[in-house]
Amino acid sequence: FSAEPKTKDDIFELYVSIAKNYPFVIIEDPFDEDDYETTAALTRATSACRGSTRSPMTMWASSQPVS
């Protein structure tokens, strides 16, 4: 990871990469608190990469789960 500013897509790909390699269960407020669409897309992407033997990852934004 570098010190340069990151785009939303850069952060999205970072979270997906981390979820593939580490047993995360929750990432709280992964994006702007009102960005429900990107948070839901991240939930779908990380749930798919975790496989059927693991629980889906939950993303929390504005104190509400998004799935």
Side-chain angles (χ1 to χ4, degrees):
F1 214 68
S2 62
E4 289 87 33
K6 306 296 179 266
T7 66
K8 180 170 47 174
D9 292 336
D10 293 336
I11 297 299
F12 186 97
E13 292 303 320
L14 174 66
Y15 288 146
V16 170
S17 174
I18 290 171
K20 287 180 181 180
N21 295 299
Y22 301 98
F24 282 88
V25 176
I26 293 175
I27 297 177
E28 185 172 345
D29 289 332
F31 299 100
D32 183 75
E33 65 185 34
D34 295 323
D35 190 354
Y36 299 111
E37 290 179 23
T38 306
T39 300
L42 182 60
T43 300
R44 288 188 299 273
T46 56
S47 293
C49 75
R50 293 175 61 80
S52 60
T53 61
R54 299 165 102 182
S55 298
M57 179 180 281
T58 301
M59 303 296 158
W60 288 80
S62 298
S63 301
Q64 296 180 328
V66 177
S67 57

